[in-house]
Each structure stands twice: as C-alpha cells, then as structure tokens.
Amino acid sequence: MQTATYRAELSARLRQVTDDIAWAVRGTIEDQAHYKPADYEWSMHEHLSHLRDMEQEVYLPLLRWATVPEMLDPLDYSRRDWHNFRYKPMEPLASIVGDIQRIRDEELAIFRDMNDVTWMRYRNDTRWGPLTCQWIAELIYRHALDHLQGMMALKQDVNLATLQPPPIVVGGYIGGRT
C-alpha cells in the first residue's frame, strides 16, 4: 500500500511540475525567451528545449527499457550534441511545452499501469548504474524542478527589467527630439 501511495503522489507531482513549467513560460515573448544574463548561461528557451530533449531521448526510453524487456537500452546523452545538432532556437515555446506534456502523459500512463513489483524492480544490468522505475520517476521530477527553477530565475530578471523606469534626460535630447 505504501509503495502504491508514493507512486501515486510522485506521479501527481510530475503532473504538477509539468503544469508549472507550462505556466512559467506562458505569455513569454521571443526576446524574453532568449534572454541570458551571461553568454555561458542558458535562456528559458534552452532550458525548456533541453528538458524536452532529455525526456524524449533519455527518460522515456529508459522507462520503456525498464518496463519492457525487448526495448533497447537508451543511448548515452550529450548536452553538447543536443545544443549543436538538435537545438532549434526559433522553435516556438508552445510547441516545446506541448511535446513535454505529451511525453509526460506517456510516462504517467506507464507509471499508472505498473504494479509495485515493477515499480521497485532493481536493475543493475545497465550502463546507467543500478536503477528502479521509482528512481527513474524521481530523476525525472528532480530534473524538471531544476530547470523550472532556472526558468523562474530568468522570468524574475525579465519581469524586473520591464518595470525599470526609463533613464532621466535633463535638458532634453540633443537635436530637440523628445
């Protein structure tokens, strides 16, 4: 009973963090989506796109592999390869969010349909190290939270910048324009 309860609660949190991510980027315009405080940091768009890529390329395949014996072990993941080859800076945020929601629905359906034995089955025959479906769900949740936190920090910067008063001009502009 306790395992099923935890699985149900974690699944609800996965749904909630997915909804929170959609809420965080809703209404964000392109300039805001690509804002970076420094060149080496990620924009909201990059956070969101990377989150989708990890769900699509690693987490969902890893979950399928852990629950369906004939599935292939997911490939290794490289953020550099994602950024250099799969990242599309002009892709609309709504499209990325839609993909994340679709993938999350599939993950949640897998979690919902499994029994406690599958949820807790210990696998150590993977290059990912020892894992269970519970560990995968916790990893998915933690990763989503990490990127939500980064996107919210950027949203705070953008929202604060929009409220910054314009510079005060004493004596008018050169050339007489106001």
Side-chain angles (χ1 to χ4, degrees):
M1 178 62 179
Q2 196 173 35
T3 301
T5 300
Y6 181 72
R7 184 171 68 247
E9 290 171 350
L10 184 54
S11 294
R13 290 187 179 281
L14 281 165
R15 168 55 57 214
Q16 185 60 54
V17 74
T18 306
D19 293 345
D20 289 345
I21 288 166
W23 168 82
V25 300
R26 188 177 306 123
T28 301
I29 60 174
E30 188 174 327
D31 287 349
Q32 295 169 336
H34 292 281
Y35 161 77
K36 297 179 182 189
D39 287 340
Y40 59 88
E41 294 189 39
W42 280 6
S43 66
M44 287 174 69
H45 193 278
E46 287 168 308
H47 277 283
L48 193 65
S49 183
H50 164 73
L51 183 61
R52 187 252 328 259
D53 199 62
M54 283 292 293
E55 295 285 341
Q56 183 174 289
E57 300 294 322
V58 177
Y59 299 146
L60 183 57
L62 188 59
L63 182 58
R64 288 175 179 150
W65 173 82
T67 57
V68 180
E70 56 271 5
M71 291 301 253
L72 296 174
D73 190 4
L75 301 174
D76 289 332
Y77 186 83
S78 164
R79 283 194 310 190
R80 181 173 291 128
D81 286 349
W82 157 73
H83 209 275
N84 290 339
F85 303 114
R86 293 189 303 274
Y87 177 57
K88 300 174 202 152
M90 300 315 295
E91 186 176 12
L93 291 176
S95 174
I96 302 169
V97 168
D99 288 345
I100 292 170
Q101 290 170 326
R102 178 188 49 77
I103 294 165
R104 183 72 75 235
D105 288 344
E106 187 172 344
E107 292 165 345
L108 291 174
I110 293 170
F111 290 137
R112 187 174 40 253
D113 293 343
M114 72 177 55
N115 59 32
D116 289 351
V117 172
T118 303
W119 176 255
M120 297 301 295
R121 182 182 306 130
Y122 185 84
R123 302 280 307 259
N124 61 6
D125 56 339
T126 170
R127 69 184 111 148
W128 297 89
L131 57 81
T132 64
C133 288
Q134 177 178 317
W135 180 86
I136 295 168
E138 292 165 342
L139 178 66
I140 293 169
Y141 181 63
R142 188 184 81 212
H143 187 245
L145 284 175
D146 288 347
H147 285 283
L148 175 60
Q149 182 178 16
M151 289 185 286
M152 285 305 301
L154 292 165
K155 188 173 187 80
Q156 282 181 286
D157 288 353
V158 165
N159 288 340
L160 195 56
T162 61
L163 298 173
Q164 186 174 5
I168 298 173
V169 177
V170 178
Y173 290 96
I174 296 174
R177 293 166 52 208
T178 58

